[in-house]
């Protein structure tokens, strides 16, 4: 299942309708702090939680039932107005995902794989009223499903979306996250996944394969899941290929690699088809963010991983596809619009384009990630005021490093080539 389009209004500060069009395998939302990026991801979570909870198209919810779904009634509605929360999603369902018992029932009305579902949640006398309206794509239009046919709801028996917040927990039992980057609850799930007799074993293989991207840092080898029967605790270790160095426990690896390992593990143990992640770049240097983007891409392209990942981020490292979603403040609240990928660096004001942090900062510097900031006069001299490719060349006579733009380097290369012929 994939979400092709999503819209919401009335959830917290999202008063004006927010629309995400053409959601691909990986979608990225950029925007300033406190605009509503987290609220947008939470609204997606609410949408799928309500689908899983309701057994009829119209139902009553109590405050306690809403809390069981992970939402406080006093916090989810807009504080300045009494408008209901309205959420609509266009879902694309692969017929192979349907249980055999449901395929015949769905075939009565579903000529296409696209389904539009709208949910309206509003306050009622004794709690809340939830109205679900499903529509199915047929002959270039959406047609409403008969109200007496609730067979679709049985498809959503489990929540297909998991939200991984900035606390990195996907369940309340993961209290150890505060103390350990990879908590014991997550390590146990990884061990169970490795020893599983069902499809989970393929997720374990995907987990191991994607993390081999760090072999240039850790050496040739792979991660292995371990279990100590005396302590009933699981662990994860890196096993070098030659076996001479012994296994390296996950807790003594670098914190950046531990964070990536934990995040990838959460993606795969969740069993969700759609993952939402808040700020995956937290505490990761830029080079690790780029590797994490490659891992995300490999995971969504694998048949055993989640089919979509939606990210809220302040980093331009995770772009995928043709556009990102730019969130900004409008006259009536936050707005979202698709922007071309090439604008991501400018929109996020990444290190390369960010203003200097103080008057005493050097006019040019190299970050720990190898990113270079050039002073304005150098960019003007190179004719690269708007940015562009550059090459660093080491002179043989003096050993000094010279900076050339791409065209200058190619001209120099051609002249040297002609002299030697």
């Amino acid at each position: 299942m994939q979400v092709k389009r999503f819209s919401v209004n009335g959830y917290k500060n999202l008063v004006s309708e927010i629309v995400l069009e053409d959601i691909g395998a990986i979608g990225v939302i950029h925007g300033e702090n406190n605009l509503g990026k987290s609220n947008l991801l939470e609204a997606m979570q609410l949408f799928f939680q309500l689908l899983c909870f309701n057994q009829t198209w119209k139902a009553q919810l109590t405050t306690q039932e809403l809390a069981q779904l992970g939402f406080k009634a006093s916090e989810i509605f807009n504080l300045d107005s009494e408008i209901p929360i309205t959420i609509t999603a266009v879902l694309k369902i692969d017929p192979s995902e349907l249980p055999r018992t449901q395929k015949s029932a769905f075939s009565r009305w579903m000529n296409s794989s696209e389904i539009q579902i709208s949910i309206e949640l509003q306050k009622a006398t004794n709690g809340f009223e939830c109205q679900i309206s499903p529509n199915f794509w047929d002959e270039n239009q959406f047609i409403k499903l008969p109200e007496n046919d609730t067979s679709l709801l049985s498809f959503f028996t489990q929540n297909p979306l998991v939200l991984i917040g900035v606390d990195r927990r996907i369940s309340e039992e993961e209290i150890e996250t505060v103390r350990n980057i990879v908590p014991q609850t997550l390590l146990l799930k990884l061990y169970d996944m490795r020893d599983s007799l069902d499809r989970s074993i393929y997720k374990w293989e995907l987990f191991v394969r994607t993390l081999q991207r760090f072999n240039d840092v850790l050496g040739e080898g792979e991660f292995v899941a371990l279990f100590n029967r005396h302590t009933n605790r699981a662990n994860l270790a890196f096993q070098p290929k030659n076996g001479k160095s012994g296994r390296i426990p996950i807790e003594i690896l670098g914190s950046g690699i531990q964070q990536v390992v934990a995040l990838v593990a959460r993606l795969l143990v969740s069993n969700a088809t759609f993952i939402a992640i808040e700020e995956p770049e937290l505490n990761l240097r830029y080079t690790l963010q780029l590797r994490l983007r490659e891992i995300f891409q490999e995971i969504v392209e694998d048949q055993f991983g989640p089919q979509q990942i939606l990210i809220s981020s302040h980093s331009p490292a995770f772009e995928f596809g043709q556009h990102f979603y730019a969130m900004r403040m409008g006259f009536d609240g936050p707005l979202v619009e698709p922007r071309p990928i090439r604008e991501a660096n400018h929109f996020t004001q990444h290190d390369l384009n960010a203003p200097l942090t103080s008057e005493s900062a050097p006019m040019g510097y190299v970050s720990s990630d190898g990113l270079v900031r050039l002073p304005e006069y150098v960019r003007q001299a190179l004719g690269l005021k708007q940015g562009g490719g550059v090459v660093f060349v080491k002179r043989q006579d003096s050993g000094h490093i010279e900076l050339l733009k791409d065209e200058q380097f190619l001209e120099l290369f051609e002249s040297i080539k002609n002299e030697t012929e």
Side-chain angles (χ1 to χ4, degrees):
M1 178 175 64
Q2 285 193 324
V3 182
K4 308 302 294 183
R5 184 182 188 274
F6 184 85
S7 66
V8 56
N9 67 288
Y11 184 86
K12 293 189 176 181
N13 73 325
L14 307 179
V15 181
S16 300
E17 185 181 37
I18 295 287
V19 180
L20 301 182
E21 297 275 7
D22 301 321
I23 304 177
I26 300 177
V28 183
I29 306 168
H30 290 310
E32 297 289 339
N33 285 323
N34 206 35
L35 273 183
K37 299 188 300 297
S38 296
N39 293 345
L40 181 54
L41 298 185
E42 290 173 10
M44 282 191 168
Q45 187 181 34
L46 176 63
F47 174 85
F48 285 105
Q49 290 279 31
L50 290 174
L51 275 184
C52 296
F53 175 82
N54 286 286
Q55 299 301 311
T56 61
W57 298 127
K58 189 173 184 179
Q60 299 288 327
L61 282 81
T62 65
T63 300
Q64 292 74 19
E65 288 173 329
L66 201 58
Q68 291 175 4
L69 300 181
F71 296 90
K72 292 183 179 180
S74 60
E75 297 178 355
I76 64 175
F77 289 90
N78 184 266
L79 298 177
D80 299 325
S81 63
E82 294 295 325
I83 61 174
I85 297 173
T86 303
I87 310 174
T88 300
V90 176
L91 309 175
K92 185 174 182 180
I93 297 179
D94 188 332
S96 64
E97 297 176 282
L98 300 174
R100 183 178 301 176
T101 56
Q102 294 180 346
K103 287 183 179 179
S104 58
F106 280 25
S107 64
R108 296 198 308 271
W109 35 257
M110 193 169 79
N111 297 323
S112 171
S113 60
E114 286 196 4
I115 304 169
Q116 178 179 281
I117 301 178
S118 297
I119 297 180
E120 183 177 274
L121 184 68
Q122 59 183 344
K123 297 178 180 179
T125 304
N126 297 317
F128 307 92
E129 184 178 278
C130 180
Q131 176 73 48
I132 302 176
S133 302
N135 300 275
F136 300 90
W137 188 254
D138 184 45
E139 296 182 357
N140 299 320
Q141 61 179 327
F142 281 108
I143 298 177
K144 184 175 178 59
L145 179 72
E147 293 184 0
N148 61 350
D149 191 340
T150 60
S151 57
L152 174 65
L153 288 175
S154 60
F155 177 67
F156 298 98
T157 55
Q158 294 182 347
N159 185 15
L161 180 142
V162 164
L163 172 59
I164 302 176
V166 291
D167 61 1
R168 294 298 182 253
R169 285 188 291 171
I170 58 176
S171 65
E172 290 301 321
E173 61 188 10
E174 291 189 26
I175 305 301
E176 283 188 287
T177 303
V178 178
R179 298 190 300 272
N180 301 303
I181 296 177
V182 188
Q184 181 62 202
T185 50
L186 189 57
L187 293 172
L188 285 168
K189 290 177 182 178
L190 284 173
Y191 182 80
D192 291 341
M193 192 165 67
R194 190 208 70 171
D195 274 7
S196 174
L197 297 177
D198 57 22
R199 291 164 55 96
S200 295
I201 185 63
Y202 300 109
K203 289 189 174 184
W204 167 256
E205 293 173 356
L206 177 59
F207 172 79
V208 173
R209 186 172 67 250
T210 56
L211 292 178
Q212 287 180 332
R213 294 179 182 274
F214 295 100
N215 282 359
D216 61 329
V217 178
L218 301 175
E220 291 295 321
E222 64 181 26
F223 281 93
V224 293
L226 310 169
F227 186 78
N228 188 321
R229 298 188 183 279
H230 297 289
T231 61
N232 288 325
R233 293 180 66 84
N235 204 352
L236 189 70
F238 182 78
Q239 175 69 65
K241 188 175 181 180
N242 55 25
K244 295 180 179 179
S245 303
R247 293 169 174 169
I248 307 173
I250 183 67
E251 61 267 20
I252 68 172
L253 293 177
S255 62
I257 292 180
Q258 288 189 57
Q259 289 179 74
V260 172
V261 168
L263 187 52
V264 174
R266 295 181 196 283
L267 287 174
L268 296 177
V269 305
S270 66
N271 292 321
T273 57
F274 190 86
I275 303 288
I277 309 174
E278 290 187 288
E279 302 182 24
E281 72 274 12
L282 285 177
N283 301 317
L284 293 180
R285 60 186 297 172
Y286 193 73
T287 52
L288 281 183
Q289 296 174 33
L290 294 175
R291 291 196 190 192
L292 187 56
R293 188 268 308 275
E294 294 174 354
I295 290 175
F296 288 163
Q297 182 176 348
E298 183 173 351
I299 286 176
V300 296
E301 291 176 351
D302 190 278
Q303 61 175 321
F304 297 105
Q307 298 181 19
Q308 278 184 299
I309 299 175
L310 187 65
I311 295 167
S312 68
S313 173
H314 297 284
S315 170
F318 299 99
E319 268 61 43
F320 180 85
Q322 300 298 316
H323 61 263
F324 68 94
Y325 300 100
M327 178 174 279
R328 59 181 179 81
M329 184 59 67
F331 291 109
D332 298 319
L335 300 173
V336 168
E337 59 182 358
R339 296 272 190 92
I341 291 296
R342 64 178 181 274
E343 297 182 12
N345 274 4
H346 175 73
F347 189 82
T348 59
Q349 296 185 345
H350 194 51
D351 289 350
L352 289 174
N353 299 315
L356 294 176
T357 56
S358 68
E359 293 182 358
S360 62
M363 288 303 294
Y365 64 86
V366 181
S367 73
S368 61
D369 291 333
L371 302 176
V372 179
R373 177 184 174 87
L374 298 176
E376 178 68 21
Y377 76 90
V378 173
R379 285 188 288 150
Q380 288 183 350
L382 292 172
L384 298 175
K385 190 173 181 179
Q386 303 301 320
V390 294
V391 178
F392 292 90
V393 179
K394 184 177 182 179
R395 293 184 59 95
Q396 293 183 349
D397 54 353
S398 63
H400 293 166
I401 303 296
E402 292 188 354
L403 175 64
L404 305 174
K405 64 180 179 179
D406 287 348
E407 292 84 352
Q408 292 173 326
F409 174 74
L410 291 175
E411 291 175 0
L412 176 63
F413 180 80
E414 287 296 328
S415 63
I416 295 176
K417 180 181 178 181
N418 293 333
E419 291 175 2
T420 57
E421 289 180 349

